[in-house]
Every structure is written in C-alpha cells, then in structure tokens.
Amino acid sequence: MKGQASASWRGSAVKFRIPTAENLVPIRLDIEVDGHRFKDAFTWNPSDPDSEIVVFAKRTVKDLKLPPVFITHIASSIQSQLAEFRSFEGQEMYAGEKIVPIKLDLRVKHTLIRDQFLWDMNNFESDPEEFAKTFCKDLGIEDPEVAPAIAFAIREQLYEIAIQSVASARESRISKKGRRGVDHTPASKAGSTAVDLVKLFGHRSSVVRKRKEWDIYEPIVDVLSNEEVDALEAREERNAR
Amino acid sequence: MATTKPTLVQDPSSEPPATPQPPPASAPVPSPVTLSAAKPDTPIAVAASDVREIARPALPPTAANLRPSEPSPTSDAVVAHVPSYARWFSFDDIHQCEVRFLPEFFDSRSHWKNPGIYKYYRNSIVNRYRADASRKISFTDARKTLVGDVGSIRRVFDFLEGWGLINYSPPALNKPLKWEDKESKTGSGASHGGGESGGASSKEVKTKRLCNHCKSACSIACFVCDKNGMTLCARCYVRGNYQIGDVTSSDFRRVEINDDSKADWQERDTQHLLEALMHYGDDWRKVARHVGRTEKECVSHFVKLPFGEEFSCFVDSENVNGSYDVGMDHGSVESCETSLTKRMRLTPLADASNPIMAQAAFLSALAGVGVAEAAARAAVTALSEAEYGSVGESTGSHLQKGRQKEAVVASNGNTHSNTAEGAWEDAKLQLVWEEQDVERAISGIVEVQMKEVKDKIDRFEALDLHMEKEWQQLEQMKNMLFVDQLTLLFHKNPAQKTGERLENSLQSARWGEAGPSSLVVKTPKKIPS
C-alpha cells in the first residue's frame, strides 16, 4: 500500500494510495432513515481495526441522540467505503507530473469558504490537515469545525483524482499493448484536470500568476448571519430533492 | 461532612483508569448543580477508609494516592473538577502515563502521529470542555472540531474521559443514599456509610450470643459447635453440658466476644489461619469461621505474613504453589528469591481464580513497579496505623523465632502489597540481633585470651621459685662436699703433716671459698675426736 518515492519521469506507475503523508480515507455519510437525516464527513484511518467502526457508530449515535437504527447504517456505510478504498489499494496508479487544482466551496455552519489552489499529486508527503489548520489560522476563522471540513474536502478531491488516475493507468496499460513507446503525453490521458505544466512553467511564462487569474485563486471567507444560513439551507434542500 | 459516603462511590469510578480499554463515556450522576456547588470531593479521610478496604476486590493502586482534589482554574466563573489521581496533567507536558496509554503517538511509527499532534488533540479537547464545564463534551463534538482521523481522536478522548480530565463530575451526595438503603436491608446496625461487606459480617459477629444451654448471654467467650450450630457459654462448655451427646469437646471452636479480634495474632491464630487456608483455599468465609475472626482480619493478616510462610503452606493455589514448594526446599536463598519473584510476576496475571491478586498485579504493572511499591507501603502503614497498632511488633515477634530466609526473600523486591513492609521490619530486627551476638562473641574471645596469658605468667613465676630452691640446695650440697673432703685429708696424714696439710688445705679453702669461714673454724675441734 505504501507508495514508492515518486519517480520524476513520466510513465511511472505507483501503487495506489492517497497522495498524502498519512493514508487516511475520507468518509462521507448521508443516511436517511424514517425522516431522520444524518450527514457527516470525516477522515478515517484504514489501518484501524474494523471493530473501531462499530464502536464509532455507537458513539456517534449516542452522542447525537439518534435513533439506534442508525448504528447499523452508519457502520455499513463506513465499511462499504473502506472496502471500496481497499479495492483500489492493490492497483497501480499513474503518477506523472501532475499538479491539480483543488477547489474549496463549502459551508460550515456560519462560515462560507471558497478557494482554489494547486496541489501536487506527486507529493506523497503532503498534509491536508496541516494545510487546513494553517488556512484557518491565517484567515482568522474562529469556528473550529471549519478546519476538519477543509481537510476533508481536500482529501476527498485527492481521492477522486487518485481513483481517476488508477482508471487511466488501467486504460493506458490496455492500450499500451498495441504501442511500444511510452511517451504519450500524460496530460491528455491523466485527465483534463491536470494543469498543463509546459504552459505554466515554460521558459516563456513566469511563476507569477496572471492578474486575471487572481480572482479565481483568491480565498474567500464569508461569515453569514443566521437568516442567510437558513436561506442557504432551504435552497440546498430544495436542490437535493 | 459526610466523608465516607462519597468515598465508596469513588471506588468504582476510580477504576476506569486501570482498565485496559477505556470505558465508554459514563455519566454516573448527571447533575450540573452539584458540580459547581461541591468543591472538595475526596477529603483526606478517603485515604484511610479506602485503604481499609484492602480486602475488597479491585483495589486500584491509585487509591493510596487519593487526596483532596484540586480544581483546575481555567476561568473564574466555572470551576472544573479534576479527580486527584489526574493531578499529573499539565498543558505543556506529556506525562508518562499518557505515553503508556496511547503509545501510537509516541512510537514514531508514522511521522504524522507525533507527540505534537497528541498535545494538540488533548489540549483542544480539554480546553473545549473547560470552556463550558457544566456541559459534558461528547466525542462527536470533539471530533468535529479536530483535524485528523477519528480513530485517534476517539482514543485520546476516551483516555481523557477515563482519567476524569473531561466530563468529570465529583460523586454527588444522592448516590450514597442508595448505599444506606442497602445497609439497612442487610440489617446490620452499621453507622453511616460503613457498608462494607466485611464490615457487615464483622458486625454480625458482634451481635449478642446466647448460650443454647443456659440461655444466658455469653460475655467473654463462647464456644461454637459447627456441627450442630450450637453455642455454649464458657461455663457450660467447661461443665460439659452439651445438649446432644455425641458432640465432643474438640468440636467446639472458641469465639471471643470481647472485641478481642483486634488483639494480636497469636501463634495459634496464625496456625489456624494457615490450616484453614490449606483446607479451604480461597473461601475466606470458611477460613474466617475456622480462625474465629472476621474475614477481613484474616485476609489482612494473611497478607502481612512473612512471604515464605505464606507460600510454603498454601497448597491450594495450583499456579502459585508448585514453584514455591521448589523454592522453599531450603536450597540456596538466591535461587529461592529469583524463582519466587519471577513466578510472582507471572502467576498473578495467570491466576484468574484470585481476583484480588490479578487486579492488583495488573494495576501495579500498569502503574509501574515503583509506584505500586510506594502505594503498597503507604497502604500498609496506613492500615497498621489505623487499625492494628501492635501488629507490626507481633509480626516482629513471629520472626524472632528464626525465619531469616523468608525475610530475605520477602524483602527482595516483590510486589506483594503488605508483606514487604512487615518483612522489612523483621529483617531490621534480625540485623540488630546479629550485631549483638557478634559483639558478645568478640568480648568472650577477648576474655579467654586474657585468661590464658595470666595463666602463663603464673606458671612462669612458679618455675622461677622452683629454680631458686634448687640452686640453694645445690649450694648446700657443695659445702657439704667440701667438708667431706677435708675430713678425708685429716684421717689420711699424721698429726704434723695433717696439721700442715690442714693449714694448707685451710688456707686453700680460705682462698677458694670465701663463704664458709665458720666451717673452717669448726673443723679443728672435730679432729681430735
């Protein structure tokens, strides 16, 4: 499961893992039973024993005073997501030069966060938790629930991209059987989300971001009032249905 | 203030830090009112009464350290309570027990799980709790606000809760009422809060005993026959007034009434105890009946016995005993020591039949040997001070009957709670005795040597006298010889010649012998005759 140190040359295949220092799985729960809706998102350590799942489910239900029906639902949901993660584990993932944009667009209680930044998929030492903590500290976010949400969002996206790269690696392996050369451009295969490095860091451009892109990459933090929160929630529910 | 009541409740709730899995978030008394009102929750009296309950199972090693708790002042408005056994906690440091309980953060298996992260979790959880101490913080609240994987957060949370650093409420006063109800049910006239099972049984013993035969109250001592359940007062017993004929006097067991149970444990009491243990093993009720004292006293005395005595007679405990019999074969003391201590460390854990020892051993393993020893010592001193004033001396007198090996064995770092202290005292006494013996021996030797010298001097003096006498005798003989020579010369020659010769010989005698001039004068008179 541990990825090797990333090779800098294209075409290297690496065992699947979330490209962060700590291999944690983002788990999202969205359970609806008898009109009770329970939504949650957190990070799970896949090396924890499975007994943890039930313990956690029971704890959560007890703390939030949910009907006990939720215990089994929560546990099974967590388990299925973990199983899915584990199914990817043995496979290879394509890891080339890949810098992806990560977008944050989330609302945690009264705080609204919108941001976009670039993330290096090859950096297996990256730490979304640290990023989230620093983010909140720098922007003076007081609500402590924001940081985990940010970390979770980042992880989720990284996970998605990793899954995509596994799929693409599989495709390229299949298609490789026909060709002999390995140097098909990764940009077209690894998904369109990857930023074209040549364009960005080529000798003709500079590292400094262009002015028109400033707005996109600027973090926006809004603290909403209660009415706005209610309005947003109502809108979300309408969208969900 | 009702001191003893809260303590009993404290016992069960003080167990959680000892169990391997942190217990689920338990809220013994959900009453915010008592939290802010009651300030000290475990007064000093706890130490004594908790220590008294050594006979009860599940004695946490931290019980000996129970002292008044300190409120941790984070804000002036609300006082957050922390139990006294968690007083090691500080925001800046990581304590040894944290490392032991949550090794995942400290074994550098993953660079992400490091002590810094642990501190971050711990401090944020505690701060969050203390920000609103009247409300119990739930795990979900905590984990929603912490960045990281929920498994680790849960473990830290459980650890903190188990140690009372969060969600801790001092035992409220309404809990002891339940205990009082239980006591009144058992029917013993226990004074407030004394609801120990050992205490209850001892109080049963103290109820009045009526003699079956003469129907009078037994005052000093009574004799109980277990066969028929008869109780006879001393007088009836002596007279032989047994109601049922086939009961012999040996079937009766003497039971003291005079609250004598706090007296010294005599040799025969100890023997009874050991016999009973051999027969009944762990069944303390039967043992207590056999010895004639309460269970509690039996257990506490047994535990205080010198180490070797205990285990040389303790046949029943399978795990423990095989090794001890070997050890006590009076082979080398060193092998005895090491085998005992080694087995001591292993078998209590394996010996599930003895819950007291299993718990104590496990807890001491958790808390560390030094802590457990200190706790045990403190427990023993408190016990002996509180109840048995003279037991220390009596155990000393036991040992003066020459149990040297046991003392050495016992004092060799065993974690058996009470024998360490008692045996240590015994060893000291033995040392003093030995020193005295040695001194006495030395003085004896010195005396003997002096006598020898004196004798020699006397002999030499006698020899000297003897020599003097002999010399004088010799002198006399010399003179006599000379006289004889002279007479011979006189008889041989005629008068003139003899006269001349006599003169000559006289002269020569005068020159030769300066001494006997009187002899020379005498001889002329003798010649004519």
Side-chain angles (χ1 to χ4, degrees):
Chain A
M1 191 160 100
K2 261 219 147 166
Q4 304 159 11
S6 65
S8 55
W9 107 86
R10 298 175 188 174
S12 68
V14 167
K15 285 275 173 270
F16 175 81
R17 55 164 284 176
I18 301 217
T20 54
E22 191 68 21
N23 204 4
L24 302 177
V25 183
I27 306 257
R28 191 178 276 278
L29 295 176
D30 191 356
I31 306 174
E32 179 144 10
V33 173
D34 299 337
H36 285 277
R37 189 116 191 258
F38 173 60
K39 285 185 77 171
D40 202 356
F42 50 86
T43 1
W44 188 270
N45 189 344
S47 51
D48 275 348
D50 284 345
S51 52
E52 274 285 323
I53 302 178
V54 181
V55 170
F56 173 80
K58 285 196 183 144
R59 209 59 187 288
T60 312
V61 165
K62 194 174 93 162
D63 288 341
L64 297 174
K65 299 187 180 48
L66 301 169
V69 178
F70 275 87
I71 298 180
T72 37
H73 281 90
I74 293 174
S76 57
S77 172
I78 298 176
Q79 237 152 18
S80 56
Q81 293 185 54
L82 272 179
E84 190 187 330
F85 173 78
R86 292 206 177 106
S87 72
F88 280 113
E89 262 179 327
Q91 306 182 19
E92 287 175 352
M93 153 172 111
Y94 178 75
E97 298 257 359
K98 207 156 48 158
I99 297 186
V100 296
I102 302 273
K103 295 193 181 75
L104 293 180
D105 187 4
L106 43 100
R107 181 187 67 82
V108 179
K109 287 206 273 190
H110 290 265
T111 320
L112 194 72
I113 308 243
R114 220 177 294 128
D115 195 6
Q116 177 176 321
F117 45 85
L118 299 174
W119 193 279
D120 182 3
M121 281 295 287
N122 279 339
N123 178 14
F124 290 118
E125 303 297 317
S126 60
D127 195 353
E129 277 75 29
E130 198 58 45
F131 177 88
K133 272 188 259 180
T134 320
F135 186 94
C136 294
K137 202 164 63 133
D138 288 344
L139 294 175
I141 298 176
E142 287 166 5
D143 191 353
E145 293 197 16
V146 173
I150 294 175
F152 175 82
I154 298 174
R155 260 191 203 277
E156 206 175 19
Q157 296 185 44
L158 290 176
Y159 185 42
E160 293 284 332
I161 296 172
I163 292 179
Q164 281 178 17
S165 69
V166 169
S168 68
R170 226 183 296 141
E171 283 176 27
S172 64
R173 240 186 300 126
I174 295 169
S175 58
K176 222 190 284 180
K177 283 178 186 169
R179 306 185 213 178
R180 273 293 145 188
V182 190
D183 54 351
H184 48 274
T185 46
S188 57
K189 281 291 177 182
S192 52
T193 49
V195 173
D196 194 353
L197 290 172
V198 177
K199 231 196 290 175
L200 261 188
F201 299 122
H203 62 274
R204 254 191 292 154
S205 57
S206 71
V207 189
V208 179
R209 196 167 270 151
K210 296 198 184 58
R211 188 179 282 268
K212 63 185 175 195
E213 291 184 351
W214 283 4
D215 294 329
I216 312 175
Y217 286 95
E218 186 183 351
I220 300 172
V221 176
D222 270 336
V223 179
L224 308 169
S225 65
N226 287 341
E227 301 88 13
E228 290 169 335
V229 169
D230 294 336
L232 273 173
E233 277 183 356
R235 212 182 304 150
E236 278 166 18
E237 279 186 31
R238 257 183 278 128
N239 289 344
R241 285 189 219 127
Chain B
M1 181 170 180
T3 57
T4 48
K5 284 175 201 172
T7 68
L8 300 169
V9 183
Q10 184 68 27
D11 259 347
S13 63
S14 70
E15 280 179 49
T19 55
Q21 293 150 2
S26 57
V29 181
S31 52
V33 180
T34 48
L35 243 183
S36 49
K39 199 168 176 262
D41 62 316
T42 51
I44 297 179
V46 170
S49 64
D50 261 326
V51 165
R52 230 175 260 149
E53 301 191 54
I54 284 179
R56 290 185 107 216
L59 168 74
T62 52
N65 298 333
L66 270 176
R67 278 189 294 274
S69 74
E70 49 182 41
S72 48
T74 46
S75 65
D76 297 320
V78 181
V79 178
H81 294 285
V82 176
S84 47
Y85 47 76
R87 49 175 46 200
W88 47 262
F89 173 72
S90 95
F91 273 107
D92 301 319
D93 301 317
I94 296 178
H95 192 260
Q96 191 58 30
C97 64
E98 300 180 85
V99 178
R100 228 179 297 126
F101 262 98
L102 298 165
E104 57 184 318
F105 291 103
F106 303 98
D107 60 6
S108 56
R109 236 184 313 145
S110 66
H111 89 284
W112 176 79
K113 275 193 188 168
N114 53 46
I117 291 280
Y118 166 72
K119 246 186 176 178
Y120 157 67
Y121 287 160
R122 178 191 73 179
N123 292 355
S124 37
I125 294 179
V126 175
N127 280 329
R128 178 161 299 281
Y129 168 68
R130 287 180 184 176
D132 186 10
S134 59
R135 200 182 69 87
K136 285 191 193 293
I137 185 174
S138 80
F139 163 64
T140 312
D141 294 339
R143 69 110 171 131
K144 275 203 197 283
T145 62
L146 287 176
V147 183
D149 78 289
V150 293
S152 327
I153 299 176
R154 184 191 68 80
R155 282 188 280 273
V156 176
F157 186 86
D158 286 340
F159 167 76
L160 291 174
E161 193 162 25
W163 276 90
L165 289 161
I166 53 177
N167 296 345
Y168 175 73
S169 58
L173 293 170
N174 52 359
K175 197 62 170 202
L177 290 175
K178 284 190 197 166
W179 282 93
E180 279 186 335
D181 288 341
K182 279 185 192 166
E183 287 165 12
S184 57
K185 278 177 204 162
T186 56
S188 58
S191 55
H192 75 109
E196 316 145 2
S197 58
S201 68
S202 71
K203 270 139 196 156
E204 284 166 15
V205 168
K206 284 180 190 157
T207 53
K208 285 233 162 166
R209 288 183 164 269
L210 288 176
C211 170
N212 284 45
H213 181 73
C214 59
K215 303 285 183 273
S216 61
C218 301
S219 55
I220 305 167
C222 69
F223 289 81
V224 175
C225 173
D226 293 317
K227 274 192 194 170
N228 306 344
M230 279 198 340
T231 309
L232 288 184
C233 70
R235 235 172 268 134
C236 294
Y237 177 73
V238 164
R239 284 197 207 127
N241 288 338
Y242 315 125
Q243 282 181 318
I244 303 169
D246 57 349
V247 173
T248 59
S249 60
S250 57
D251 290 325
F252 278 80
R253 184 174 45 87
R254 186 193 162 101
V255 172
E256 306 282 349
I257 302 268
N258 261 354
D259 207 51
D260 218 7
S261 44
K262 301 217 172 175
D264 295 347
W265 275 75
Q266 306 296 334
E267 179 68 16
R268 62 179 169 82
D269 287 332
T270 326
Q271 271 182 12
H272 281 312
L273 175 64
L274 295 172
E275 282 171 23
L277 282 169
M278 274 208 292
H279 291 303
Y280 303 124
D282 266 332
D283 193 345
W284 287 103
R285 247 177 306 121
K286 291 190 187 157
V287 170
R289 259 192 321 147
H290 187 272
V291 176
R293 292 175 185 249
T294 65
E295 286 177 42
K296 216 170 46 129
E297 287 162 8
C298 291
V299 175
S300 55
H301 184 76
F302 172 69
V303 156
K304 280 190 194 157
L305 286 175
F307 207 85
E309 188 178 24
E310 218 173 304
F311 290 102
S312 63
C313 304
F314 199 87
V315 178
D316 276 8
S317 164
E318 322 84 45
N319 294 343
V320 169
N321 202 45
S323 51
Y324 292 126
D325 275 340
V326 168
M328 288 320 288
D329 263 343
H330 302 293
S332 70
V333 178
E334 291 81 28
S335 65
C336 184
E337 291 168 1
T338 49
S339 68
L340 274 171
T341 50
K342 269 191 213 158
R343 302 284 178 164
M344 209 37 211
R345 287 204 185 104
L346 290 173
T347 46
L349 292 173
D351 185 4
S353 64
N354 192 346
I356 305 174
M357 275 313 302
Q359 268 276 5
F362 172 74
L363 295 172
S364 63
L366 267 186
V369 175
V371 173
E373 265 192 75
R377 272 202 203 102
V380 169
T381 32
L383 183 78
S384 22
E385 281 163 18
E387 291 204 356
Y388 298 88
S390 57
V391 168
E393 287 132 25
S394 75
T395 50
S397 66
H398 274 295
L399 266 192
Q400 280 168 18
K401 281 153 195 175
R403 296 185 190 276
Q404 189 183 8
K405 278 181 193 167
E406 284 83 356
V408 173
V409 161
S411 62
N412 190 29
N414 66 78
T415 57
H416 200 84
S417 45
N418 290 337
T419 51
E421 183 60 26
W424 181 64
E425 287 191 41
D426 302 333
K428 260 181 41 180
L429 271 164
Q430 267 294 317
L431 264 174
V432 169
W433 269 80
E434 286 296 314
E435 281 178 26
Q436 287 180 6
D437 278 339
V438 167
E439 279 178 29
R440 256 182 264 134
I442 289 176
S443 62
I445 291 171
V446 165
E447 269 188 50
V448 165
Q449 289 282 7
M450 282 187 33
K451 276 190 199 156
E452 268 189 47
V453 168
K454 192 161 164 260
D455 275 343
K456 279 187 187 166
I457 291 175
D458 287 343
R459 249 182 279 140
F460 281 132
E461 279 185 19
L463 270 175
D464 253 345
L465 270 173
H466 200 68
M467 288 269 295
E468 277 282 339
K469 281 186 196 162
E470 290 215 342
W471 191 81
Q472 282 181 6
Q473 281 182 6
L474 275 173
E475 283 286 331
Q476 280 192 4
M477 282 178 69
K478 240 202 232 172
N479 293 336
M480 281 172 63
L481 194 66
F482 180 67
V483 167
D484 286 340
Q485 279 180 344
L486 284 176
T487 48
L488 260 173
L489 284 170
F490 270 130
H491 282 293
K492 270 185 187 175
N493 300 325
Q496 281 183 338
K497 284 184 185 173
T498 54
E500 286 174 12
R501 277 182 193 161
L502 196 62
E503 280 184 22
N504 286 342
S505 63
L506 278 172
Q507 279 174 10
S508 65
R510 245 185 263 132
W511 304 127
E513 297 274 344
S517 52
S518 59
L519 266 167
V520 173
V521 172
K522 274 181 189 172
T523 43
K525 286 180 190 172
K526 276 186 184 175
I527 292 166
S529 67

